[in-house]
Amino acid sequence: MEEVAAMVRKYVFGNPIDTESVVKEFPVEKGNVPYFEVAINEKTMKLSMAANDKVYGLGETVRGINKRGFRYTSNCVDDHVHTEDKSSLYAAQNFFVYWGSDKRFGMFVDTPGKVSFDIGDREINTFEIDLEDFDANIYVIDGDSIMDIVRRFRGIIGKSYIPPKWAFGFGQSRWGYMNEQDVRDVVDNYDKQDMPLEAVYLDIDYMENYKDFTVNKERFPAFKEFVEEMKGRGIHLIPIIDAGVKIEDGYDVYEEGVREGYFVKKENGENLVAAVWPGKVHFPDFLNEKARNWFGNKYKFLLDQGIDGFWNDMNEPAIFYTEDHLKEVFEEIKVLEGQNLDVLSFFKFQGLVEGLSNNAEDYKRFYHDYKGQKIRHDKVHNIYGYNMTRAAGEAFERLCPDKKILMFSRASYIGMHRYGGVWTGDNQTWWSHLLLNIQQMPGLNMCGFLYCGADTGGFWGDTTEDLLMRWTQFSIFTPLFRNHSLKDTRNQEYYRFTNKKDFRNLLRLRYALIPYLYDQFTKAAVEDDMLFKPLCFEYPEDEMAYEVEDQLFVGDSIMVAPVYRQNSVGRYVYLPETMKMVRFRSPEDYDEEVLGKGNHYIKAAINELLVFVREGKKLPLAGPANRTGDINEKDMIYITGPHCC
Ligand code: GLC
């Protein structure tokens, strides 16, 4: 215990708001935070970086695995254009490992407000952390290796969420399945093609006018029976839950929330009126324990109908507009009406409407009741989505303690990893987003988020068969494996494409891998380890390993090297040790070859994917199945790595 205390040191700036991310108590250190120069008046911490120092972590962000060379701002935001100039995405995960020639440590900047990590962006050799408010708990973690530091950090934030095993099955999703027949058609088509499927996701159209905890009776006239019917076919239905609660007389969730004072309030005490899918909504105050319990209990409505998985969305929270801001904008537009709009006034006019959504000023218009204190939203913005998922996770422990429920969220903060996983939000049908998906996994794992994955094939835009094929070749290794897309884009269910056999084989390979993946996943959760590791985390002495940002170890036995370039039929792969290359076409059809340490160009046709079995290790493969419950774990075959058994 004493040793641990010395390896993790806690420093306190100002008067921090407790995020409940860290589950252990630490004495507060006197003196300065090590490694950084702290300027309280400038609200910054600065560190000077040597040329080859590296920085890993920060969870779900843009760009590569080594975060150096850009600035990242933790500020959960609903932005679907994840281009490399974006500083903020849906998540706020403020843990990183600094791995330099003379400075090696981990740091968790625990503050629920906005914080920026400029890692050589404005000044190439300066790492500057800017805190909007200078109130934070700072944890400095020492260790002999990157993995040592990561494990020690994970040891202080509590164990990662473990989903039920069926949640490793494949899930088909699309914003656009309108009724039970649409869902039935999807399942029928998968079955007809003999393609594995475990779940179908219900997006917002299953609800009655986008009201949480309701089911549209015209579209799903006998929901409970339908859930039962699907369950009989081995299919789980996974409904979406949104953060905003529709304002509508007679709607129980709205009326109870108003009566009990469970919604976030403006300065004058009135409930904030914002708008999302249903038009005007109130936002539950997930930071208020009573409101959290109340909202959590609402999941019972769906649990009682046989539902055992959910995805929590729009919980940054995303805001189309607030009633107050909309009014201001209409007034300003009225002034402009009839004028000759010139360069300045036209752009002002355009900006007025565009600036309505997710407006930074709107996040200052409302307050939470957090641990008995009235706190303005922007000060605690990054823990809002976390607490929505916590509401659900805590409720599941109360309502069905003996059952594992699938839960994942769009917005997140460290601490939420105890209650659910994440998906990486609205990506695009871009090859660069396949690479981004690969590169986001280690950062997420470092921060405790093990159950994660991206919208396979891309959410926005029309996917192409080859992109979907290559993406699936990576997604079959991610714990959350879901194909999801936007309304009115090209339908991307696997049975719609030309090379159905290749997709079927990939899905079957996923199911053959599930015993290995679930075993490695639970081991990582129990041992505070990572499922996806960059090469350098295992080979710190190997300079080449630091260069490789498109290959990952997945669990103890294998390394994957996905093809993520359009029209590529092979790729360079770096082997940090002698490994057995397995070129899979299906669980039964693959080539094997032992390759030595070093660089290799390896062919991989569009229907082939590359897995490398490590020295002394083996990869178990189960017999193919179309549902996780049918996986035969008795007759496993083992592909052995060099010098194994
Ligand atoms: C958000 C989600 C997306 C979902 C859509 C409609 O954009 O990120 O996954 O399909 O809302 O609910």
Side-chain angles (χ1 to χ4, degrees):
M1 181 62 212
E2 254 167 37
E3 194 211 350
V4 173
M7 302 302 267
V8 180
R9 284 166 289 162
K10 177 179 180 179
Y11 298 82
V12 176
F13 293 158
N15 193 12
I17 298 169
D18 187 8
T19 61
E20 299 187 359
S21 295
V22 171
V23 295
K24 290 193 176 157
E25 298 279 333
F26 291 92
V28 176
E29 301 286 329
K30 295 190 184 70
N32 293 332
V33 173
Y35 308 111
F36 281 86
E37 237 176 74
V38 179
I40 296 182
N41 51 343
E42 291 165 23
K43 301 182 177 179
T44 61
M45 300 167 59
K46 276 190 193 163
L47 172 155
S48 144
M49 300 188 283
N52 282 322
D53 292 2
K54 294 162 182 77
V55 179
Y56 299 104
L58 296 180
E60 181 190 314
T61 46
V62 295
R63 302 208 176 202
I65 294 176
N66 175 0
K67 305 316 290 182
R68 193 163 171 171
F70 194 56
R71 104 203 141 267
Y72 311 86
T73 301
S74 287
N75 182 38
C76 299
V77 64
D78 171 24
D79 181 346
H80 64 270
V81 189
H82 312 162
T83 41
E84 62 179 274
D85 57 337
K86 292 295 165 69
S87 287
S88 307
L89 299 179
Y90 307 94
Q93 297 160 355
N94 305 339
F95 168 68
F96 64 86
V97 172
Y98 191 92
W99 199 243
S101 40
D102 62 347
K103 301 177 197 99
R104 296 179 163 186
F105 63 96
M107 183 177 272
F108 176 36
V109 181
D110 188 14
T111 167
K114 204 184 206 176
V115 45
S116 284
F117 300 86
D118 179 331
I119 315 177
D121 178 278
R122 268 169 296 189
E123 160 46 53
I124 193 159
N125 292 322
T126 304
F127 183 172
E128 181 174 318
I129 303 179
D130 292 66
L131 293 115
E132 196 168 73
D133 292 311
F134 212 64
D135 298 305
N137 289 312
I138 309 272
Y139 296 87
V140 178
I141 300 136
D142 292 322
D144 294 334
S145 66
I146 299 178
M147 279 318 300
D148 237 26
I149 296 170
V150 170
R151 279 195 204 97
R152 199 157 281 139
F153 169 63
R154 297 270 302 285
I156 71 168
I157 57 171
K159 296 291 175 205
S160 297
Y161 162 79
I162 300 179
K165 194 169 190 174
W166 65 260
F168 274 61
F170 164 64
Q172 180 62 55
S173 186
R174 179 167 173 86
W175 177 9
Y177 299 151
M178 298 305 289
N179 51 41
E180 56 172 52
Q181 197 47 46
D182 285 354
V183 175
R184 208 176 271 124
D185 285 348
V186 170
V187 180
D188 287 348
N189 278 307
Y190 271 95
D191 281 355
K192 212 179 296 159
Q193 295 299 332
D194 193 22
M195 288 178 172
L197 176 74
E198 199 84 26
V200 179
Y201 285 77
L202 301 179
D203 209 317
I204 48 176
D205 298 303
Y206 82 88
M207 296 184 231
E208 189 190 296
N209 299 322
Y210 312 121
K211 285 184 288 187
D212 280 338
F213 313 113
T214 66
V215 173
N216 185 308
K217 291 201 181 63
E218 272 158 38
R219 297 175 184 169
F220 294 88
F223 189 65
K224 196 171 177 187
E225 286 72 24
F226 185 59
V227 176
E228 195 59 31
E229 173 192 325
M230 286 295 128
K231 208 149 261 183
R233 298 176 69 178
I235 300 295
H236 300 256
L237 297 181
I238 308 176
I240 194 169
I241 303 292
D242 282 296
V245 169
K246 186 176 197 300
I247 297 177
E248 187 183 278
D249 287 338
Y251 169 37
D252 57 345
V253 184
Y254 160 72
E255 289 191 340
E256 281 170 33
V258 170
R259 193 171 61 236
E260 302 297 331
Y262 289 154
F263 294 125
V264 296
K265 297 190 174 47
K266 298 195 291 190
E267 173 85 86
N268 65 7
E270 287 170 13
N271 292 328
L272 175 88
V273 178
V276 204
W277 310 118
K280 290 182 186 174
V281 299
H282 289 323
F283 287 122
D285 187 356
F286 299 119
L287 274 67
N288 168 342
E289 199 180 341
K290 281 196 186 138
R292 197 160 65 230
N293 287 341
W294 162 74
F295 193 86
N297 286 340
K298 294 287 164 206
Y299 286 80
K300 188 168 186 298
F301 168 75
L302 290 158
L303 291 170
D304 284 349
Q305 306 194 55
I307 294 295
D308 49 11
F310 301 89
W311 43 313
N312 279 349
D313 192 23
M314 304 294 272
N315 49 0
E316 294 71 30
I319 297 179
F320 290 176
Y321 60 85
T322 59
E323 191 179 50
D324 291 340
H325 188 200
L326 186 70
K327 210 162 133 214
E328 289 160 12
V329 166
F330 275 131
E331 270 155 26
E332 286 187 63
I333 288 179
K334 251 183 247 148
V335 175
L336 294 173
E337 197 175 5
Q339 282 186 22
N340 171 18
L341 298 183
D342 62 6
V343 57
L344 292 180
S345 49
F346 174 71
F347 288 127
K348 183 181 171 203
F349 166 72
Q350 208 176 27
L352 281 170
V353 178
E354 274 175 6
L356 275 170
S357 297
N358 307 317
N359 187 294
E361 291 307 307
D362 276 337
Y363 292 108
K364 297 181 183 164
R365 288 180 197 256
F366 58 101
Y367 293 78
H368 295 271
D369 172 3
Y370 188 41
K371 298 175 190 278
Q373 266 190 302
K374 181 174 170 183
I375 303 182
R376 204 172 73 188
H377 176 81
D378 60 315
K379 308 282 175 200
V380 287
H381 176 72
N382 288 337
I383 57 171
Y384 185 75
Y386 156 22
N387 278 284
M388 177 184 182
T389 296
R390 181 177 172 185
E394 287 174 342
F396 302 153
E397 281 163 26
R398 285 195 303 276
L399 300 170
C400 39
D402 301 326
K403 199 170 173 190
K404 278 200 169 83
I405 304 291
L406 169 61
M407 163 53 62
F408 60 91
S409 166
R410 195 171 71 175
S412 63
Y413 184 85
I414 292 170
M416 201 199 85
H417 70 288
R418 301 192 293 266
Y419 305 98
V422 292
W423 95 100
T424 56
D426 300 346
N427 56 10
Q428 310 264 347
T429 50
W430 296 343
W431 290 88
S432 60
H433 276 186
L434 164 53
L435 177 60
L436 183 64
N437 182 189
I438 299 164
Q439 294 179 327
Q440 282 177 331
M441 291 299 118
L444 277 159
N445 279 196
M446 287 171 75
C447 296
F449 294 90
L450 296 182
Y451 189 77
C452 45
D455 288 349
T456 302
F459 177 76
W460 280 80
D462 295 328
T463 202
T464 55
E465 179 160 340
D466 54 345
L467 174 62
L468 182 63
M469 187 78 77
R470 288 304 194 192
W471 207 318
T472 305
Q473 290 171 359
F474 177 64
S475 291
I476 62 167
F477 296 95
T478 62
L480 167 62
F481 170 26
R482 179 173 82 140
N483 172 331
H484 181 48
S485 55
L486 173 66
K487 230 180 186 142
D488 301 327
T489 57
R490 176 180 186 175
N491 289 87
Q492 62 186 47
E493 294 82 8
Y494 290 116
Y495 52 78
R496 295 186 187 269
F497 294 89
T498 308
N499 293 296
K500 292 185 186 47
K501 185 164 149 269
D502 295 333
F503 283 120
R504 180 187 309 120
N505 280 332
L506 278 176
L507 292 166
R508 290 172 67 250
L509 182 56
R510 162 63 170 212
Y511 276 68
L513 286 165
I514 285 177
Y516 172 73
L517 292 173
Y518 195 67
D519 176 60
Q520 294 292 308
F521 178 96
T522 38
K523 190 162 157 275
V526 170
E527 294 175 5
D528 298 327
D529 206 336
M530 295 166 62
L531 183 67
F532 290 101
K533 282 187 203 135
L535 272 49
C536 60
F537 284 29
E538 296 257 326
Y539 282 92
E541 307 304 329
D542 180 344
E543 272 180 33
M544 250 323 279
Y546 290 91
E547 290 293 299
V548 180
E549 294 219 333
D550 57 1
Q551 299 170 209
L552 296 170
F553 290 118
V554 184
D556 293 337
S557 296
I558 58 171
M559 179 183 84
V560 295
V563 174
Y564 55 89
R565 290 209 173 95
Q566 191 178 341
N567 299 321
S568 283
V569 285
R571 56 162 290 169
Y572 281 96
V573 179
Y574 177 69
L575 269 56
E577 61 185 37
T578 299
M579 290 180 173
K580 183 187 271 178
M581 183 224 43
V582 188
R583 189 188 285 113
F584 276 111
R585 286 173 288 277
S586 81
E588 300 85 9
D589 180 17
Y590 49 87
D591 314 319
E592 299 175 61
E593 189 185 343
V594 173
L595 297 172
K597 174 176 156 64
N599 282 303
H600 301 266
Y601 180 81
I602 305 180
K603 285 202 172 308
I606 184 73
N607 63 341
E608 294 178 325
L609 72 112
L610 303 172
V611 173
F612 298 81
V613 185
R614 301 186 65 180
E615 203 152 22
K617 305 281 184 189
K618 49 190 176 184
L619 172 66
L621 286 180
N626 286 349
R627 307 283 186 265
T628 48
D630 297 332
I631 296 175
N632 175 355
E633 296 200 26
K634 287 203 189 81
D635 306 313
M636 308 279 267
I637 62 151
Y638 293 89
I639 303 179
T640 52
H643 309 119
C644 173
C645 341

